[in-house]
Amino acid sequence: LNRLNLPFTERIPYAKNCIARELFQIMTEKQTNLCIAADVTKSADLINLANQTGPHICLFKTHIDILDDFHVDVIGTLQKIAEKHNFLLFEDRKFSDIGKTAQMQYCNGMYKIKSWAKVITAHSLAGAGMLDALKQSDNGIFLLAEISTSGSIIDKNYATKTTKLASQYPDLIAGLVCQSPLFLSEPGFIQLTPGVQLDVESDGLGQKYNTPSAVIEKGADIAVVGRGITQSSEPAVAAEKYKRLLWDAYLKRVK
Ligand code: 6AU
């Protein structure tokens, strides 16, 4: 059983996490495996991006704490757009503390992530207790097994241990954030791969980029594109282009 050759619909029965199942559905319905990294610092820009790229994405990934002008109303607006265009809100919080602290960061504070982001990221380094603390009946976690930067101190052993940890939490883990096909025989998990941009190799701050077709060949089920879209003069056009390239590469892979 190799997930790389299975169409998303055929992977639904293997997925124990509700978000993974929902994502497989959305991707198939909208024919998109594009996640936008909506890394902008003004609420108006964030909302514009959601409106413009909404038809082309399955996930809208935020770093909500980089907004200079955060107000709870932004969340309500994003939720309406997400419903209209059928995508999920995804807060890339990369939880990594002891369980109790991570739980408060998830539920409390001014962002109240738990109340609106059913999809979140977490580092695996704190281990099982933190995953227990973040567990809800209707959420999904993408666990970081690798990172896209040059000089990262994550090694093969860490990635393997992360995959093992994920296997112990199939009902909570939607998938893994990684750069290579780590869990080929577990079709219920989704590989989320960031560091995707055409015509650029790095950003001068350690980020490494690969092309859409290259990451799909290396096992990405969903690709994360940030500045490739957000810094385009026409984000909707750029999003549509990345969507098409990623989906074509996926169709080629499963064929
Ligand atoms: O396309 P970019 O470089 O503009 O944005 C990439 C986005 C950023 C990062 O915080 C995130 O993807 N990211 C992650 C995630 C998704 O967790 C992991 C990683 O290894 N590399 C990475 O860039 O929002």
Side-chain angles (χ1 to χ4, degrees):
L1 196 64
N2 181 340
R3 73 176 160 88
L4 299 188
N5 305 322
L6 284 181
F8 294 141
T9 39
E10 289 179 31
R11 290 168 58 179
I12 296 172
Y14 297 98
K16 302 273 180 298
N17 173 259
C18 59
I19 295 292
R21 286 197 298 271
E22 198 174 347
L23 276 171
F24 283 135
Q25 290 281 9
I26 294 174
M27 289 193 275
T28 306
E29 273 168 35
K30 290 179 72 174
Q31 306 211 335
T32 178
N33 52 348
L34 170 65
C35 166
I36 185 172
D39 296 339
V40 290
T41 55
K42 299 283 177 271
S43 301
D45 294 338
L46 191 67
I47 287 162
N48 275 339
L49 271 178
N51 275 318
Q52 289 178 31
T53 65
H56 308 300
I57 59 173
C58 59
L59 280 171
F60 188 79
K61 191 177 81 60
T62 49
H63 286 296
I64 203 71
D65 58 353
I66 66 175
L67 283 181
D68 289 327
D69 57 353
F70 176 79
H71 185 282
V72 285
D73 290 353
V74 175
I75 300 300
T77 306
L78 286 179
Q79 283 174 320
K80 281 192 198 110
I81 303 169
E83 200 170 319
K84 177 176 168 198
H85 291 301
N86 193 25
F87 61 78
L88 301 181
L89 298 178
F90 176 13
E91 171 57 18
D92 187 6
R93 177 62 182 75
K94 296 191 181 72
F95 293 101
S96 59
D97 214 312
I98 61 165
K100 185 63 197 170
T101 302
Q103 196 171 59
M104 291 191 287
Q105 290 170 326
Y106 182 40
C107 303
N108 301 95
M110 72 177 179
Y111 302 116
K112 306 211 174 357
I113 296 168
K114 176 181 161 241
S115 71
W116 56 273
K118 297 296 163 213
V119 197
I120 52 176
T121 48
H123 282 292
S124 53
L125 83 171
M130 193 193 71
L131 295 182
D132 287 327
L134 295 172
K135 202 165 186 304
Q136 301 291 325
S137 60
D138 62 347
N139 67 351
I141 293 184
F142 280 94
L143 207 54
L144 270 95
E146 292 174 332
I147 196 149
S148 60
T149 48
S150 56
S152 150
I153 60 171
I154 288 179
D155 60 13
K156 187 105 202 105
N157 190 27
Y158 182 95
T160 307
K161 281 186 185 169
T162 301
T163 311
K164 252 188 220 141
L165 180 63
S167 306
Q168 288 157 16
Y169 283 81
D171 49 345
L172 175 62
I173 302 299
L176 287 105
V177 182
C178 55
Q179 298 291 319
S180 54
L182 293 175
F183 50 98
L184 287 175
S185 57
E186 301 202 56
F189 286 146
I190 293 172
Q191 178 177 330
L192 184 95
T193 301
V196 181
Q197 194 171 172
L198 291 161
D199 309 321
V200 185
E201 275 174 22
S202 68
D203 69 353
L205 292 172
Q207 175 72 304
K208 285 189 296 188
Y209 290 112
N210 291 295
T211 62
S213 58
V215 295
I216 298 289
E217 275 164 32
K218 285 191 92 184
D221 296 312
I222 297 179
V224 177
V225 181
R227 284 162 284 182
I229 295 172
T230 59
Q231 295 194 339
S232 156
S233 55
E234 291 177 290
V237 175
E240 187 168 16
K241 181 178 172 186
Y242 278 101
K243 168 182 78 168
R244 185 171 40 77
L245 291 171
L246 289 165
W247 193 256
D248 286 351
Y250 154 74
L251 290 178
K252 210 170 131 194
R253 190 180 83 189
V254 292
K255 202 165 66 179

